[in-house]
């Protein structure tokens, strides 16, 4: 596995430790909420890129990836894991 995969997993773990647990995900988030959050983090990444801050850009993109994982996991818990189309 690549280094970045491990970093994304660590970022997701950091999010969980901050209280964004799977239980919280189901109580607080809809599919639209997930999309809005991911779009906001992408916008921040884009801003970091435009500001020529490559490390901050990369950090935001890891957060985007971790949020996308959380969104997929939440979807699977709610709708079942075999819904991939």
């Amino acid at each position: 596995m690549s280094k970045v995969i491990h970093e994304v997993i660590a970022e997701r773990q950091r999010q969980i430790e901050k209280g964004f647990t799977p239980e919280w995900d189901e109580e607080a988030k809809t599919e639209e909420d997930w999309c809005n959050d991911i779009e906001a983090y992408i916008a921040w990444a884009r801003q970091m890129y435009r500001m020529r801050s490559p490390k901050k850009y990369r950090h935001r993109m890891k957060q985007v990836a971790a949020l996308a994982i959380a969104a997929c996991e939440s979807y699977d818990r709610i709708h079942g894991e075999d819904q991939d189309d």
Side-chain angles (χ1 to χ4, degrees):
M1 245 188 249
S2 75
K3 172 186 165 192
V4 73
I5 296 297
H6 294 287
E7 292 173 348
V8 171
I9 292 167
E11 172 58 26
R12 179 62 187 134
Q13 187 59 43
R14 186 192 70 77
Q15 293 169 353
I16 290 169
E17 289 169 2
K18 287 186 79 173
F20 301 106
T21 63
E23 296 78 20
W24 183 86
D25 293 344
E26 265 77 79
E27 292 174 14
K29 300 273 188 184
T30 65
E31 283 87 348
E32 183 141 357
D33 293 331
W34 286 112
C35 290
N36 290 337
D37 289 351
I38 290 167
E39 286 174 348
Y41 275 79
I42 289 171
W44 290 335
R46 183 179 297 119
Q47 185 64 25
M48 294 302 104
Y49 169 77
R50 288 178 179 155
M51 292 173 63
R52 294 189 165 102
S53 183
K55 288 182 181 180
K56 289 181 181 178
Y57 161 81
R58 187 176 185 280
H59 177 71
R60 289 292 183 192
M61 292 306 285
K62 286 190 300 186
Q63 290 175 318
V64 168
L67 283 172
I69 288 169
C72 289
E73 290 175 339
S74 177
Y75 182 91
D76 288 350
R77 285 189 299 272
I78 293 168
H79 301 286
E81 294 182 31
D82 296 328
Q83 298 282 328
D84 195 22
D85 290 331

